[in-house]
């Protein structure tokens, strides 16, 4: 042995639990012939090692360079250590303590487990709950930290001797794989009919597959909740599912057997293939190939489709043994409600939808939806952030007490800060439903417990009618805590800045559906100069009226009428009647009167409503059956065009700079017979991008600010976003478009905590 | 319009013109008003109820009523909602210079008819005239005095889980009618539900003195606001069945096109009641026997948790119905 033995205590923080970190350290120590031990703590892992200098150096090097794929080291603290080394290297029981450890996200089944799953010789052949330290459920089964079997819903399944041996053997792939299980000792599946009667069968899996083959609808309990499945190539059953789910148009996600299968259904570039096969396994929005064997009803009228690959053993079994190219996999819920998580709830809520229920008994602590990703500007952009991503924290580099932000009204998430990290909840949903509201409350409680924080500052939106605002106000009153209110679009801007660590001042262009402005009007096409805890509204779209409030967000024909009224005044009704189907003619005079008299017609600068207007103008959609339907139709149509004219939008200057979109609507109208519709749809996107570029450039020159933040739901639109970003890059402006959070309202809660921190820092600066 | 045909500032001067106004317009209808500075009343030992309300509706004449009848119904109903039998009303007028005298006469006559029908006496009053533009045609304040019979205890605090919620007829008629006629929207078939409820409430409380926990008329802020007050007072949750809430088809269609939620639109001739679960059907049947409350319906149930107001939709979901916070603003992104 060279040199004398010294001791070293190493604390590793980051994502180090539930990701195969301890077996990795064990093997590393063994290979270097180092004595010591490792244990999970509330903060991360604690390693104590004894060896000579070069052994210890090699150990530290290996620790950082050979880290397992799912682990993420954030901090390594070393301290010299006295005492005598133990015999060999041991893995010790976890110790409780402060829960600073990261909660790992759920991970898709790995290749090694998959090979065993389909190996008839393996003891876990066809076992739907196979997993190892590299894969399996995490966030969805953890009810407390540190991450140990006892703190997961797997604690009710004592391991059989074989599983236990794997679990205790540091050389094994399943060493401390907390959800480790096998058919002998672990959870199992069974089938019930819609009345809850158990189906008598030896092989529930084959029975379920047969049911799917027969064109029936299966509700299956998955990783984060129930999903509704049916054969995606069977037009009839897809239609039936639409009917039963009361979901006339909204696209269904599909799960495709493998990457090859996915390539048969959609155009995929390298980036997109990587997303599809990543351990996070989100739903990917990709361009649909037509014709294909998919039922047209999957995504009617759309040029893109949402697809994902199997991410649990059960999915793999269903698709492979059933030899399905693709299954519809849509959330198992009633419209507007969160996913059904328990077997009982599923039977209660879904018995009018599903023909058969595939249940299991591995309880789900946290319901979590599938994440949705789309590649825009060459990078994966989240549309919905949930499974696989949550609860990875976002940066929060501020010295504040714990902050809790309540988020927006629709696509709600909340955010809690702890130290220099911000934890954004999974997609909660639209707070217009009691079950969703309960889901919000339950998830919030869960996060507070896991993170062990008591928020001292609360943040909410400016809109008094948001349920999230009302919850925040209740909580603030009950606990006597300060409540900070943040304007919706300013929160959008702050979220992007927080993600990139961008420091104010900067310019922000927020193109959105709708948020309440500080002047009482509805904003959604705004340009701000953002300073620390202060903002100035420099420009926006020319305001128009929104006749009927929320009704005009659903019914695009109302917005068309509103724009026409701005352009043509008393002449509107004649023009409107040419553009609108007969069924609307009788309502036109009344809505015109509302516009004229200002009855329930608040003013709006919303870009989303402008998209709605154009969709109605081109006859694509007069009433939306789901949020974003009209803009998605419009984008899908534009997708078909190779070229299109570009119309220019004037910039008016009053108190602020205003981009006048009336002329765009007028130009499109004038050219209705001159160009094919798809070219006009493209023209709308490109002209609008050009207009916003012009006004941004003008304001950038005036303010000398070159950093531009883009946010708001409209940036989920690929055509507009890519055109705008490209033109801004050409002008040598630095563009920030979010990657870690959705660009839509899913990011509002994070933006709210960032803004609250800025307000705090601003006030501290004032005081000193 | 001739000089004698509109309200002039001098009509409020206290001089001859004022006297003429009283003699020509008010006295013929308000016969109970004594020629003294104050009315003097002899009261029994029963409990008194006293309320006041000002009426500023635009337009002053609307389908189903006018500001005069409304000023009587509003105050009479407020008294009835605490279980009182309305006895006396005061009536104070603020008139805008230029108001056609004929309009005033019509309003006063309508008030007198409404009072007669409700069985209350208008026993004192006042008239002021403000310059053009300082008022809007006519404002009326009425105060009302009533007696509460022994044994009546209507308190929203007493509402408890299990109780049922009833509404005495279709909602939102008044609110939508006023809006539509003010803005001249051309919506057809609308009529205010403005009416006095004291007679039927008296019968109701005599019949079911113990079973009824609370009564309230859903005027400004509509059904939703009244039920929020119930929730707040009793610290309970109220769950409404969307399908059970009576609403006229033309009102439903009208609210839809205007983008307004009828749950927040005013009624002026309806009441909401909370009662013990066992009595709900009986009370409903009883009320359906009166013309004012023929379309009474059981619309919901009280639960201990979650607190607040919720609407079970026809699709099986449950929507929170938040309290009104100022003007309703769009929330859909
Ligand atoms: Fe937004
Ligand atoms: Mg009143
Ligand atoms: Zn694995
Ligand atoms: Zn086992």
């Amino acid at each position: 042995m060279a040199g004398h033995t010294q001791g070293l205590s190493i604390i590793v923080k980051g994502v180090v639990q539930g990701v195969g970190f301890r077996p990795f350290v064990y093997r590393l120590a063994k290979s270097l012939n180092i004595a010591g031990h490792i244990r999970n703590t509330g903060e991360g892992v604690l390693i104590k090692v004894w060896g000579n200098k070069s052994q210890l150096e090699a150990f530290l090097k290996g620790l950082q360079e050979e880290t397992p794929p799912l682990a993420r080291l954030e901090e390594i603290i070393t301290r010299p250590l006295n005492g005598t080394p133990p015999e060999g290297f041991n893995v010790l029981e976890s110790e409780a303590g402060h829960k600073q450890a990261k909660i790992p996200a759920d991970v898709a089944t790995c290749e090694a487990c998959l090979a065993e799953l389909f190996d008839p010789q393996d003891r876990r052949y066809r076992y739907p709950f196979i997993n190892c330290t590299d894969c399996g459920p995490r966030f969805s089964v953890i009810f407390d930290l540190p991450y140990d079997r006892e703190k997961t819903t797997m604690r009710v399944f004592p391991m059989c001797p074989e599983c236990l041996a794997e679990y205790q053997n540091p050389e094994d792939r399943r060493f401390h794989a907390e959800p480790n299980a096998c058919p002998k000792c672990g959870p199992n599946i069974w089938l019930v009919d819609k009345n809850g009667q158990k189906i008598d069968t030896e092989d529930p899996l084959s029975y379920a597959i047969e049911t799917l083959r027969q064109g029936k609808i299966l509700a299956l309990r998955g990783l984060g909740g129930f999903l509704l499945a049916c054969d995606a190539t069977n037009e009839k059953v897809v239609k039936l599912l639409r009917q039963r789910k009361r979901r006339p148009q909204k696209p269904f996600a599909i799960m495709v057997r493998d990457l090859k299968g996915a390539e048969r259904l959609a155009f995929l570039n390298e980036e997109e293939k990587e997303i599809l096969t990543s351990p996070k396994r989100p739903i990917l929005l990709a361009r649909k190939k037509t014709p294909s064997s998919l039922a047209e009803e999957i995504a009617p009228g759309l040029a893109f489709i949402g697809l994902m690959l199997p991410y649990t053993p059960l999915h793999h079994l269903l698709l492979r043994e059933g030899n399905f190219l693709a299954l519809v996999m849509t959330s198992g819920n009633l419209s507007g409600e969160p996913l059904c998580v328990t077997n009982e709830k599923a039977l209660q809520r879904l018995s009018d939808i599903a023909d058969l229920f595939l249940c299991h008994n591995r309880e789900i602590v946290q319901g979590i939806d599938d994440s949705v990703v789309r590649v825009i500007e060459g990078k994966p952009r989240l549309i919905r952030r949930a499974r696989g991503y949550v609860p990875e924290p976002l940066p929060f580099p501020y010295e504040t007490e714990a902050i809790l932000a309540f988020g927006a009204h629709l696509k709600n998430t909340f955010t809690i800060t702890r130290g220099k990290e911000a934890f954004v909840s999974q997609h909660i949903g639209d707070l217009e439903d009691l079950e969703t509201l309960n889901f919000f409350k339950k998830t919030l409680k869960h996060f507070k417990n896991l993170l062990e924080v008591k928020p001292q500052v609360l943040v909410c939106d400016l809109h008094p009618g948001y349920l999230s605002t009302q919850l925040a106000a209740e909580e603030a009153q009950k606990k006597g805590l300060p409540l900070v209110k943040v304007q919706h679009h300013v929160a959008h801007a702050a979220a992007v800045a927080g993600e990139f660590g961008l420091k104010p001042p900067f310019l922000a262009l927020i193109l959105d559906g709708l948020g309440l402005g500080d002047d009482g009007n509805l904003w959604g096409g705004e340009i701000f100069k953002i300073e620390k805890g202060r903002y100035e509204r420099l420009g926006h779209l020319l305001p128009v009226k929104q006749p009927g409030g929320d009704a005009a967000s659903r019914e695009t024909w109302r917005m068309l009428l509103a724009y026409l009224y701005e352009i043509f005044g008393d002449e509107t009704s004649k023009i409107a009647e040419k553009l609108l189907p007969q069924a609307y003619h009788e309502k036109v005079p009344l809505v015109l009167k509302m516009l004229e008299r200002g009855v329930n017609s608040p003013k709006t600068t919303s870009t989303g409503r402008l998209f709605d207007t154009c969709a109605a103008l081109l006859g694509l959609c007069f009433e939306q059956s789901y949020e974003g339907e009209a803009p998605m139709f419009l984008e899908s149509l534009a997708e078909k065009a190779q070229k299109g004219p570009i119309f220019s939008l004037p910039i008016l200057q009053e108190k602020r700079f205003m981009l006048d979109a009336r002329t765009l609507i007028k130009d499109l109208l004038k050219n209705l017979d001159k160009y094919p519709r798809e070219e006009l749809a493209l023209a709308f996107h490109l002209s609008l991008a050009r207009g916003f570029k012009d006004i941004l450039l003008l304001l950038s020159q005036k303010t000398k600010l070159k950093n531009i933040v883009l946010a708001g739901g409209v940036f989920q639109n690929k055509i507009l976003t890519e055109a705008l970003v490209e033109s801004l890059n050409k002008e040598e402006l630095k563009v920030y478009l979010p990657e870690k959070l959705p660009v839509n309202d899913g990011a509002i809660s994070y933006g709210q905590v960032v803004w609250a921190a800025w307000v705090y820092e601003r006030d501290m600066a004032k005081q000193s | 319009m001739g000089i004698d045909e509109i309200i002039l500032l001098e009509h409020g001067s206290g001089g001859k013109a004022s006297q003429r106004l009283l003699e020509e317009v008010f006295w013929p209808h308000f016969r109970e008003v004594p020629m003294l500075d104050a009315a003097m009343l002899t009261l029994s030992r029963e409990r008194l109820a006293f309320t006041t309300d000002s009426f500023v509706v635009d337009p002053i004449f609307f389908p189903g009523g006018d500001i005069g009848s409304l000023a009587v119904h509003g105050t009479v109903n407020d008294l009835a909602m605490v279980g009182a039998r309305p006895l006396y009303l005061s009536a104070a007028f603020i008139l805008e210079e230029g108001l056609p005298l004929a309009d005033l006469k019509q309003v006063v006559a309508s008030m007198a008819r409404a009072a007669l029908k409700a069985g209350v006496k208008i026993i004192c009053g006042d008239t002021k005239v403000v310059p053009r533009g300082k008022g809007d045609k006519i404002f009326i304040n009425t105060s009302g005095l009533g007696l509460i019979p022994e044994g009546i205890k209507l308190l929203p605090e007493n509402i408890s889980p299990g109780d049922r919620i009833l509404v005495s007829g279709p909602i939102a008629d008044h609110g939508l009618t006023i809006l539509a006629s003010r803005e001249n929207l051309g919506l057809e078939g609308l009529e205010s539900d403005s009416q006095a409820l004291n007679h039927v409430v008296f019968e109701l409380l005599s019949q079911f003195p113990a079973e009824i926990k609370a009564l309230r008329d859903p005027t400004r802020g509509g059904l939703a606001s009244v039920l929020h007050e119930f929730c707040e007072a009793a610290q309970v949750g109220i769950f409404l069945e969307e399908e059970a809430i009576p609403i006229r088809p033309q009102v439903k269609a009208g609210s839809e096109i205007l983008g307004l939620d009828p749950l927040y639109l005013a009624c002026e001739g309806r009441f909401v009641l909370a009662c013990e679960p066992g009595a709900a059907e009986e009370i409903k049947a009883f009320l359906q026997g009166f013309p004012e409350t023929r379309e009474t319906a059981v619309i919901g149930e009280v639960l201990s948790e979650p607190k607040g107001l919720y609407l079970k939709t026809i699709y099986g979901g449950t929507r929170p119905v938040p309290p009104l916070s100022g003007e309703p603003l769009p929330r859909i992104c």
Side-chain angles (χ1 to χ4, degrees):
Chain A
M1 217 186 255
H4 74 283
T5 299
Q6 32 184 301
L8 198 60
S9 139
I10 308 169
I11 294 169
V12 186
K13 293 183 183 176
V15 183
V16 288
Q17 297 185 8
V19 290
F21 194 72
R22 284 178 300 175
F24 151 71
V25 170
Y26 175 88
R27 285 190 292 268
L28 182 66
K30 280 275 181 192
S31 73
L32 294 168
N33 204 13
I34 281 180
H37 56 250
I38 177 171
R39 64 156 39 118
N40 276 349
T41 67
E43 289 178 286
V45 295
L46 173 65
I47 308 167
K48 290 185 178 173
V49 281
W50 284 266
N52 63 37
K53 195 158 173 267
S54 67
Q55 277 175 312
L56 293 181
E57 272 169 8
F59 181 76
L60 279 173
K61 190 160 173 270
L63 207 57
Q64 290 167 75
E65 288 178 1
E66 292 157 39
T67 317
L70 299 173
R72 194 158 48 85
L73 313 192
E74 279 167 8
E75 202 179 349
I76 299 177
I77 305 165
T78 59
R79 238 176 338 116
L81 193 70
N82 296 323
T84 35
E87 278 291 302
F89 194 88
N90 305 298
V91 176
L92 304 181
E93 289 291 303
S94 300
E95 78 180 11
H98 278 297
K99 301 182 211 162
Q100 294 285 318
K102 291 285 147 32
I103 313 133
D106 300 308
V107 188
T109 310
C110 73
E111 288 301 322
C113 285
L114 213 51
E116 291 172 352
L117 182 65
F118 289 105
D119 174 4
Q121 304 313 311
D122 195 273
R123 68 188 191 91
R124 291 191 181 85
Y125 176 56
R126 296 181 87 228
Y127 182 56
F129 301 94
I130 187 169
N131 68 82
C132 72
T133 46
D134 286 338
C135 73
R138 301 287 188 270
F139 176 69
S140 56
V141 297
I142 293 172
F143 54 79
D144 205 352
L145 289 178
Y147 176 49
D148 256 333
R149 192 177 182 93
E150 278 309 300
K151 301 281 172 67
T152 73
T153 57
M154 286 298 294
R155 70 172 168 179
V156 297
F157 299 103
M159 277 180 272
C160 69
E162 272 171 292
C163 285
L164 193 62
E166 293 168 337
Y167 183 85
Q168 288 173 334
N169 176 8
E171 312 276 1
D172 197 280
R173 214 174 86 239
R174 295 198 168 87
F175 174 62
H176 273 274
E178 307 303 345
N180 188 30
C182 78
K184 255 190 254 160
C185 67
N188 59 307
I189 57 170
W190 66 91
L191 289 169
V192 298
D193 66 15
K194 56 173 69 183
N195 303 314
Q197 282 305 335
K198 199 160 172 177
I199 306 278
D200 184 23
T201 168
E202 289 277 284
D203 185 352
L205 200 61
S206 301
Y207 191 101
I209 287 169
E210 189 46 36
T211 305
L212 285 167
R213 295 207 147 286
Q214 287 166 5
K216 293 195 173 145
I217 298 168
L218 176 72
L220 69 138
R221 194 180 198 198
L223 185 66
F226 269 82
L227 293 174
L228 288 163
C230 70
D231 184 351
T233 60
N234 179 338
E235 194 80 41
K236 230 168 95 192
V237 69
V238 178
K239 255 189 199 143
L240 185 68
L241 180 58
R242 287 211 173 282
Q243 243 172 46
R244 290 191 187 166
K245 226 188 160 203
R246 293 180 216 281
R247 182 163 152 157
Q249 296 273 337
K250 194 176 179 186
F252 286 134
I254 55 168
M255 184 176 277
V256 191
R257 192 168 48 209
D258 50 25
L259 191 59
K260 254 219 225 106
E263 286 189 278
R264 274 168 60 186
L265 302 174
F267 298 96
L268 299 172
N269 59 28
E270 287 311 309
E271 184 79 56
E272 290 169 324
K273 283 184 215 165
E274 202 173 298
I275 294 165
L276 269 181
T277 53
S278 88
K280 295 180 187 299
R281 291 287 154 105
I283 295 169
L284 173 79
L285 287 189
R287 205 146 64 81
K288 171 159 95 173
K289 279 186 180 164
T290 45
S292 80
S293 47
L294 276 191
E296 181 51 35
E297 282 287 315
I298 300 278
L302 298 181
F304 20 83
I305 188 167
L307 25 90
M308 62 181 147
L309 297 185
Y311 58 85
T312 70
L314 185 60
H315 297 151
H316 284 286
L317 289 164
L318 283 175
L319 279 138
R320 210 188 280 191
E321 292 197 354
N323 201 25
F324 295 106
L325 171 62
L327 292 174
V328 167
M329 285 283 179
T330 189
S331 19
N333 57 4
L334 290 186
S335 163
E337 294 188 352
L339 288 186
C340 296
V341 160
T342 63
N343 297 326
E344 296 71 36
K345 191 81 178 183
L347 264 172
Q348 184 209 338
R349 304 310 267 168
L350 306 177
S351 58
D352 288 340
I353 302 176
D355 300 301
L356 189 69
F357 291 76
L358 183 52
C359 302
H360 68 64
N361 52 353
R362 189 179 70 199
E363 293 309 318
I364 300 166
V365 176
Q366 270 294 292
I368 186 161
D369 286 278
D370 294 321
S371 295
V372 182
V373 169
R374 181 175 199 193
V375 173
I376 296 176
E377 255 293 297
K379 294 213 170 108
R381 314 283 175 179
L382 282 151
I383 305 285
R384 181 167 74 199
R385 183 175 178 272
R387 179 185 49 77
Y389 295 84
V390 175
E392 279 173 18
L394 273 94
F396 187 70
Y398 309 102
E399 302 287 342
T400 69
E401 294 175 287
I403 305 178
L404 164 62
F406 284 73
H409 184 66
L410 304 181
K411 297 198 193 69
N412 174 278
T413 60
F414 60 80
T415 295
I416 301 183
T417 71
R418 183 183 69 182
K420 303 211 159 166
E421 289 175 325
F423 293 83
V424 182
S425 76
Q426 70 266 43
H427 167 83
I428 301 284
D430 300 345
L431 299 180
E432 304 227 296
D433 175 273
L434 179 59
E435 300 271 340
T436 309
L437 213 56
N438 289 338
F439 181 45
F440 178 100
K441 290 178 183 165
K442 197 178 153 208
T443 308
L444 178 57
K445 203 168 154 200
H446 185 60
F447 268 69
K448 278 185 189 168
N449 174 49
L450 282 183
L451 299 171
E452 236 184 8
V453 285
K454 283 207 175 75
Q456 296 301 308
V457 177
L458 307 181
V459 201
C460 68
D461 198 275
L462 213 56
H463 198 311
Y466 281 10
L467 261 296
S468 52
T469 301
Q470 293 176 2
L471 283 175
E474 256 169 54
E475 180 87 355
Q477 203 193 12
K478 205 165 69 189
K479 301 231 166 104
L481 295 174
L483 179 61
V484 181
K485 294 190 176 182
V486 185
Q487 199 280 325
H488 185 88
H489 302 106
V490 167
H492 268 303
V496 183
E499 177 183 330
F500 289 100
L502 172 65
K503 295 209 166 63
F506 57 85
L507 289 180
L509 171 69
I510 315 296
L511 305 184
D512 202 17
L514 174 162
L516 182 61
D518 58 26
D519 60 355
N521 291 325
L522 307 172
W523 294 358
E526 315 301 310
I527 303 172
F528 300 102
K529 177 183 177 184
I530 302 281
E531 293 172 87
K532 201 163 246 187
R534 237 189 316 267
Y535 63 91
E536 195 183 341
R537 190 177 176 222
L538 301 178
H540 49 79
L541 276 180
L542 186 90
V544 298
K545 284 176 183 164
Q546 184 168 332
D550 276 338
S553 298
R554 285 184 294 265
E555 302 171 21
T556 58
W557 68 276
R558 290 175 186 256
M559 285 314 298
L560 176 59
L561 214 53
Y563 265 96
L564 294 177
Y565 184 71
E566 289 290 329
I567 301 167
F568 300 106
D570 293 342
E571 305 293 299
T572 305
S573 77
K574 266 184 284 166
I575 299 158
E577 283 183 6
K578 268 184 230 147
L579 294 168
L580 293 175
Q582 189 69 36
Y584 297 99
H585 291 188
E586 122 190 300
K587 295 181 186 168
V588 166
L590 187 60
V591 172
L592 284 176
K593 211 157 232 170
M594 290 171 70
L595 287 162
E596 190 188 304
R597 311 272 305 186
V599 178
N600 196 24
S601 298
K603 277 194 183 158
T604 183
T605 51
S606 161
T607 313
R609 295 300 87 79
L610 179 58
F611 271 81
D612 295 352
T613 303
C614 183
L617 177 69
L618 296 181
L620 293 173
C621 176
F622 301 101
E623 282 177 48
Q624 312 194 73
S625 72
Y626 60 92
E627 197 209 321
E629 180 173 356
M632 278 163 76
F633 281 162
L634 193 61
E635 189 188 357
S636 291
L637 183 64
E639 196 53 56
K640 292 185 190 156
Q642 303 301 316
K643 57 175 175 34
I646 294 190
F647 305 113
S648 68
L649 283 70
I651 296 171
L652 313 179
Q653 190 184 356
E654 281 174 25
K655 255 186 294 177
R656 294 172 291 267
F657 291 91
M658 294 188 293
L659 191 63
D660 183 357
R662 288 176 308 184
T663 61
L664 176 56
I665 296 301
K666 208 170 158 181
D667 286 333
L668 290 167
L669 192 58
K670 257 195 299 200
N671 286 290
L672 268 185
D673 301 323
K674 231 167 110 189
Y675 293 93
R677 302 261 149 158
E678 57 264 26
E679 291 188 10
L680 291 177
L682 185 60
F684 171 81
H685 286 84
L686 300 180
S687 307
L688 203 57
R690 163 87 68 90
F692 280 120
K693 186 224 40 177
D694 289 344
I695 190 169
L696 269 175
L697 201 59
L698 182 79
L699 290 169
S700 161
Q701 282 156 1
K702 279 198 174 298
T703 57
K704 309 237 173 337
L705 295 173
K706 295 213 167 280
N707 287 328
I708 314 278
V709 158
L710 303 180
V714 172
F715 289 105
Q716 294 167 115
N717 182 300
K718 190 174 155 100
I719 299 177
L720 175 95
T721 305
E722 292 185 345
L724 180 61
V725 172
E726 192 190 344
S727 65
L728 292 174
N729 284 339
K730 269 195 201 134
E731 304 291 346
E732 309 210 328
L733 298 176
K734 175 101 180 80
V735 177
Y736 294 86
L737 194 64
E739 293 163 32
K740 290 189 179 145
L741 284 181
V743 80
N744 60 37
D745 283 5
I748 289 293
S749 62
Y750 176 63
Q752 289 172 340
V753 299
V754 172
W755 187 262
W758 285 350
V759 168
Y760 177 78
E761 290 191 348
R762 178 198 72 195
D763 293 349
M764 292 310 280
K766 257 192 223 155
Q767 276 174 25
S768 60
Chain B
M1 216 173 277
I3 199 83
D4 284 346
E5 291 166 14
I6 59 169
I7 289 294
L8 301 170
L9 279 176
E10 60 183 85
H11 281 127
S13 66
K16 272 191 186 152
S18 302
Q19 193 55 35
R20 220 170 48 236
L21 191 69
L22 285 174
E23 282 167 7
E24 287 178 12
V25 179
F26 290 104
W27 298 145
H29 292 291
F30 298 165
R31 291 168 208 277
E32 321 285 342
V33 179
M35 301 292 159
L36 295 169
D37 281 342
M40 292 180 290
L41 311 170
T42 308
L43 296 171
S44 68
R45 287 152 161 267
E46 289 171 279
R47 278 184 300 159
L48 271 183
F50 181 46
T51 186
T52 189
D53 212 335
S54 298
F55 298 83
V56 293
V57 67
D58 173 26
I60 56 173
F61 300 104
F62 47 83
D66 56 64
I67 191 170
S69 54
L70 188 65
V72 171
H73 297 152
T75 296
V76 161
N77 290 347
D78 279 352
L79 289 172
M81 291 306 115
V82 297
R85 294 170 56 199
L87 296 175
Y88 304 113
L89 292 188
S90 71
F93 295 77
I94 294 171
L95 308 175
E96 187 192 14
E97 181 190 6
L99 174 78
L101 214 55
D103 286 0
L104 180 60
K105 284 182 179 163
Q106 201 181 327
V107 166
V108 169
S110 159
M111 260 185 109
R113 270 198 310 276
L116 186 67
K117 198 168 171 203
V120 285
K121 292 173 179 166
I122 296 173
I123 54 161
C124 59
D126 176 51
T127 306
K128 294 284 188 302
V129 178
V130 294
R132 241 177 244 274
K134 303 279 173 181
D136 187 8
K137 295 187 195 81
I138 179 165
F139 298 154
I140 304 177
N141 170 277
T142 53
S143 295
L145 213 49
L147 289 177
I148 306 175
E150 216 161 316
I152 299 274
K153 220 171 72 196
L154 293 170
L155 277 176
E157 292 91 299
N158 294 343
I159 297 171
S160 50
D163 287 354
R164 297 293 192 275
I165 304 292
L166 283 75
V167 67
S168 71
I171 61 163
D173 288 324
H174 180 76
L176 193 66
T177 303
I178 295 299
L179 179 65
S181 47
R182 176 168 68 234
E183 306 296 348
N184 190 23
L185 295 177
L187 289 173
E188 275 162 33
L190 297 181
E191 190 172 294
S192 168
D193 52 275
S194 177
Q195 62 175 338
L197 298 164
N198 56 316
H199 296 310
V200 57
V201 168
F202 177 76
E203 298 295 332
L204 175 71
L205 293 176
S206 317
Q207 191 73 21
F208 302 95
E211 292 85 345
I212 294 174
K213 307 276 190 81
L215 280 182
R216 186 135 313 162
D217 57 340
T219 53
R220 196 168 37 183
L223 182 66
S225 300
V226 161
L227 292 176
H228 266 291
E229 284 171 29
F230 281 4
C231 292
E232 194 58 35
Q235 285 300 300
V236 291
I238 293 179
F239 281 69
L240 301 176
E241 296 281 348
E242 185 175 27
E243 253 177 320
I245 300 172
I247 176 162
R248 299 194 196 288
Q250 64 271 34
V251 173
K252 192 162 187 248
S255 326
E256 255 164 32
I257 190 136
L258 294 175
L260 298 171
D261 187 342
L263 289 176
Y264 297 101
L265 292 176
C267 308
E268 286 292 347
R270 308 282 177 233
F271 59 85
V272 182
L273 73 81
C275 69
E276 280 174 4
E281 284 305 316
E282 217 183 319
I283 291 174
K284 180 180 97 177
F286 179 78
L287 285 172
Q288 283 176 344
F290 295 82
E292 298 98 312
T293 52
R294 211 179 43 239
E295 292 172 71
T296 298
V298 181
I299 57 169
E301 189 182 354
V302 179
L303 269 73
S304 60
E305 288 290 339
K307 306 201 189 319
L309 182 62
Y310 302 90
L311 184 73
K312 292 190 192 164
T313 68
I314 48 176
Y315 297 122
T318 302
R319 174 166 76 84
V321 182
L324 206 53
S325 44
E327 284 287 290
L329 287 162
R331 298 182 298 188
I332 298 182
C333 204

